[in-house]
Amino acid sequence: MLDVAIVSNHFSSSIGGGARASLVSLLAGLAERVDISVDVYDLGSGTNTEASFEHTLDRLSVHRIPLFRWVDQVVTRWQLSRSLRSQLAAGYDLVITQGLVAPAAVAVAQDTGVPSIFFVRSLAMTGYENYDPDRGLVANLRQTDLG
């Protein structure tokens, strides 16, 4: 049995969009090939739990700062890292993640020795074009949050 943790910010979303559909399709294909156990850690608040494989759904809770996009992402990732440490320490074989929660999930997976897959469906949607590590914190804040 392959124990898989999914860390997502939209797995339970009932509104269209291909990110959830792509993730569900990826897992369905995996389930056809090997016996899997899937635990989903979801930042979303939707009620869509349809999937062709059995899974559990646990909600992740963070306090958001929507006015400042980059600051919000940094604070959200810090909160997620703290929350995920206990969940991912349960001994998963694989972590699959995407979207806003991916950097925190990959970092925690690496710290706990669990292999991870950062499933990038669209580079244009990652927001990395706005961030430049060579610019420094204040310059990035001006670029990403203040325009």
Side-chain angles (χ1 to χ4, degrees), residues 52-81:
S52 62
F53 50 89
E54 289 195 33
H55 62 282
T56 63
L57 179 62
D58 292 316
R59 302 283 180 196
L60 298 171
S61 178
V62 296
H63 299 287
R64 305 292 306 265
I65 309 169
L67 184 60
F68 297 108
R69 179 178 180 209
W70 184 62
V71 171
D72 179 54
Q73 289 182 14
V74 171
V75 171
T76 297
R77 289 174 184 151
W78 177 77
Q79 293 176 78
L80 287 170
S81 293

Side-chain angles (χ1 to χ4, degrees), residues 21-132:
S22 297
L23 189 56
V24 169
S25 178
L26 178 74
L27 288 165
L30 182 61
E32 289 175 3
R33 290 162 180 76
V34 297
D35 191 21
I36 63 173
S37 170
V38 178
D39 294 328
V40 178
Y41 299 99
D42 190 34
L43 193 59
S45 59
T47 58
N48 185 2
T49 58
E50 279 186 40
S52 62
F53 50 89
E54 289 195 33
H55 62 282
T56 63
L57 179 62
D58 292 316
R59 302 283 180 196
L60 298 171
S61 178
V62 296
H63 299 287
R64 305 292 306 265
I65 309 169
L67 184 60
F68 297 108
R69 179 178 180 209
W70 184 62
V71 171
D72 179 54
Q73 289 182 14
V74 171
V75 171
T76 297
R77 289 174 184 151
W78 177 77
Q79 293 176 78
L80 287 170
S81 293
R82 290 186 63 204
S83 176
L84 287 172
R85 287 211 189 280
S86 60
Q87 281 102 347
L88 297 186
Y92 289 100
D93 298 312
L94 179 64
V95 172
I96 302 175
T97 186
Q98 67 183 116
L100 173 71
V101 298
V106 169
V108 172
Q110 182 177 10
D111 290 348
T112 56
V114 179
S116 62
I117 296 172
F118 183 169
F119 185 62
V120 178
R121 186 173 168 270
S122 170
L123 283 176
M125 296 180 73
T126 63
Y128 288 113
E129 72 279 358
N130 294 320
Y131 176 78
D132 181 355

